[in-house]
Amino acid sequence: MTDPILPGFYPDPSICRVGDDYYLATSSFEYFPGAPVFHSTDLLTWTQLGHAFDRESQLRLEPGGASGGIFAPTLRHHDDRFWLITTNASQARAGHMILTAEDPAGPWSDPVFTDELDGIDPDLTWDEDGACHLTWSCYQPGLNGIAQVPIDPVTGRSLGAPRLIWGGTGLAWPESPHLYHVEDWWYLLIAEGGTERGHCISVARARTIDGPFEGAPHNPIFSHRSMNSPVQNAGHGDLVRTADGDWAMVYLAARPSGITPGFHVNGRETFLAGIDWVDGWPVVRESRYDVPSIDTSFIDDFSTTDPSPRWISPGPPISSWTSRGPDRGIRLAAAPGDGPDRRLLAVRIRDAAWTAEAVVDTSTGTGRMVLRLDDHHWCAVVAGEDAVVAELSIRPGTLEIGRASRPGTEAITLWMRATVPAPVHNAPVGPDVLELGFTTAGAHVSLGSFDGRYLSTEVAGGFTGRVVGVSPDSGTVELRSFSYRGDREPIGVSE
Ligand code: 6LW
């Protein structure tokens, strides 16, 4: 299976079902709102409902904390409520965060914090007696591996001492534990090997939720390591029993491309597989589902009352520095000074080849279109008063890759596009070519292009993927409309 059900950086998926409805949440790191929540009735097509963290009283993120913030969540439904547990990796000593909601579209509660249970990837599971257990990837000395503690999920308080329940098969980083009660067994599904090319999924089982757990003789039960597949880094799975009684698994994977070692630019994405039970163990059926290609294109003129949940920011909440135009458009106010809280209104890149355009009015300020991996790996089309400049910033420098005078100061369309290059002399090159430019008064100006590998995770590191959007540099910039189209002819920037 090569197509994700959630393209773009939506990693660490967790899924649950209520009747015929499926719900899924992913990690979101330094971006706010955080922990996006999705809905589906067929596991194949998903609609974003919103985010579990959508107000500052729930979550304060460190500005510029690349790949910090909200790590892997677990989403469950119990006692007629939805439960989400996760870790703010920038404040991990505060404990894991438990949120609840009647409606997964929100509002979600303010978080309740657990005790300081050092580690990540917390899971909540209720046993046959209704007791709740927190199981997580523990870093505490003596408990290194998958640990578990009985917990009161309402208060967050531990109701016993943490215990190591499985150390995994011996591969690095046993993490992302999830538990399932199937017939007479409790199954513990984990990821191992690290979230890179060695990623895999292993399973163990026990007669009781707290073990002792015995690993499957054929672990890992799923991996793409050392395989010749366009889908790599496969791991971090969560199982769900389907409405018709079968089983499925969501998992994360990346789609690196280009010359070795391969570069993935859109982060780790969410994929879907089938699950069969054979001789008392889950077996992954990777190609069971025919995932439809997803139309990721949109044009947003900000005329709707509520902003689409697609918009995120790696800094302060969007509402704190934006305001809506009288009937359409959105005004972006630049941050005072040059603080780290880069104000960027952005969306995830979800395709290999794409075009994005921002129509901006800079009559009351200056601003830029930005493609960001993190604060040290980005490129921009900067609309100044009399010139438009294309920049590429790779720590520690920022390179000007093109400049043109700006005819007039009326609204201007800033654009970027990514194309997938053909191999040169049969040798693959970078994952894509990024071209930056602008269009104004009918003049279409390409400012320059560069090899997109420099804005890839293999170069920058981290857990996220590219986002594209608009950032105010000074004063107030009005974003009249933003359009994104995947894998088709560029919108309005044809030569
Ligand atoms: C996540 C861990 C992982 O918490 O990477 O894929 C970490 N696995 O389970 C960040 O995504």
Side-chain angles (χ1 to χ4, degrees):
M1 182 44 56
T2 57
D3 290 323
I5 52 173
L6 283 182
F9 98 80
Y10 293 108
D12 308 320
S14 180
I15 186 169
C16 69
R17 179 177 61 84
V18 182
D20 292 334
D21 294 296
Y22 298 91
Y23 300 96
L24 187 153
T26 75
S27 50
S28 51
F29 303 99
E30 73 263 31
Y31 289 91
F32 194 92
V37 178
F38 296 86
H39 170 254
S40 175
T41 56
D42 62 7
L43 289 172
L44 297 172
T45 51
W46 292 86
T47 303
Q48 184 172 358
L49 298 177
H51 295 83
F53 297 93
D54 63 2
R55 56 187 189 276
E56 276 203 292
S57 64
Q58 294 173 300
L59 176 65
R60 291 186 66 83
L61 291 167
E62 300 299 318
S67 289
I70 298 300
F71 268 44
T74 296
L75 178 66
R76 293 292 184 257
H77 186 261
H78 179 79
D79 274 352
D80 291 331
R81 290 193 71 79
F82 289 86
W83 300 78
L84 184 135
I85 186 169
T86 187
T87 312
N88 179 352
S90 307
Q91 295 173 334
R93 301 189 71 85
H96 305 288
M97 307 162 84
I98 301 175
L99 290 74
T100 66
E102 284 184 14
D103 182 341
W108 286 81
S109 68
D110 282 355
V112 163
F113 288 84
T114 70
D115 298 327
E116 185 195 347
L117 300 169
D118 191 10
I120 58 173
D121 299 1
D123 169 275
L124 287 182
T125 302
W126 286 262
D127 65 21
E128 306 92 320
D129 303 322
C132 186
H133 302 257
L134 194 168
T135 307
W136 80 106
S137 174
C138 183
Y139 298 157
Q140 287 171 209
L143 289 177
N144 242 315
I146 306 301
Q148 187 180 87
V149 67
I151 188 174
D152 176 347
V154 175
T155 64
R157 295 285 67 77
S158 298
L159 303 177
R163 295 172 52 249
L164 184 67
I165 62 170
W166 195 36
T169 67
L171 295 177
W173 302 111
E175 55 193 8
S176 95
H178 293 304
L179 286 151
Y180 314 93
H181 197 202
V182 183
E183 294 174 6
D184 295 337
W185 291 102
W186 279 96
Y187 289 88
L188 171 61
L189 194 80
I190 72 169
E192 293 187 290
T195 193
E196 298 78 24
R197 300 290 190 267
H199 213 190
C200 57
I201 292 177
S202 296
V203 67
R205 68 185 183 186
R207 290 297 185 186
T208 56
I209 195 171
D210 55 358
F213 282 92
E214 167 212 9
H218 51 293
N219 276 329
I221 62 166
F222 181 55
S223 179
H224 277 201
R225 60 185 183 178
S226 306
M227 287 175 66
N228 182 20
S229 165
V231 177
Q232 290 292 320
N233 302 33
H236 199 107
D238 195 10
L239 307 186
V240 66
R241 183 152 202 181
T242 64
D244 53 12
D246 290 330
W247 285 79
M249 179 176 76
V250 291
Y251 63 95
L252 75 76
R255 292 187 283 175
S257 63
I259 195 166
T260 185
F263 301 88
H264 73 283
V265 297
N266 293 340
R268 296 159 305 153
E269 305 167 286
T270 287
F271 289 73
L272 177 69
I275 291 286
D276 287 339
W277 294 90
V278 178
D279 301 333
W281 293 106
V283 175
V284 179
R285 303 299 187 197
E286 187 172 342
S287 302
R288 169 151 299 159
Y289 293 94
D290 186 12
V291 178
S293 65
I294 296 170
D295 180 4
T296 58
S297 302
F298 72 89
I299 297 179
D300 196 338
D301 64 1
F302 306 95
S303 55
T304 55
T305 310
D306 295 325
S308 160
R310 67 167 70 95
W311 294 106
I312 54 176
S313 173
I318 296 165
S319 58
S320 68
W321 50 276
T322 62
S323 57
R324 308 303 292 273
D327 55 2
R328 62 191 66 243
I330 187 169
R331 287 187 287 258
L332 315 178
D338 191 19
D341 67 336
R342 165 56 72 188
R343 293 178 173 183
L344 173 63
L345 180 66
V347 293
R348 291 168 173 84
I349 297 292
R350 310 190 72 192
D351 301 90
W354 50 269
T355 300
E357 291 186 320
V359 180
V360 296
D361 175 347
T362 57
S363 54
T364 58
T366 59
R368 62 183 63 200
M369 184 181 206
V370 178
L371 180 69
R372 177 188 192 266
L373 199 55
D374 60 31
D375 284 345
H376 301 295
H377 299 82
W378 52 264
C379 66
V381 183
V382 184
E385 289 172 4
D386 51 17
V388 184
V389 179
E391 294 181 342
L392 167 61
S393 185
I394 309 287
R395 176 163 45 178
T398 296
L399 178 68
E400 181 175 307
I401 55 175
R403 170 185 290 268
S405 62
R406 178 178 177 181
T409 56
E410 67 280 4
I412 185 172
T413 299
L414 311 179
W415 56 262
M416 294 182 183
R417 65 179 165 185
T419 52
V420 178
V424 174
H425 306 310
N426 293 325
V429 286
D432 56 9
V433 173
L434 291 167
E435 184 183 10
L436 289 68
F438 68 95
T439 302
T440 186
H444 157 75
V445 179
S446 174
L447 293 169
S449 60
F450 63 93
D451 183 323
R453 80 180 73 183
Y454 301 107
L455 300 185
S456 69
T457 298
E458 281 75 13
V459 168
F463 294 120
T464 59
R466 289 174 180 172
V467 299
V468 65
V470 177
S471 180
D473 288 331
S474 66
T476 300
V477 173
E478 182 181 3
L479 175 55
R480 292 188 177 171
S481 70
F482 191 96
S483 54
Y484 172 92
R485 176 168 291 178
D487 214 11
R488 297 182 191 151
E489 274 311 301
I491 307 161
V493 287
S494 52
E495 282 73 355

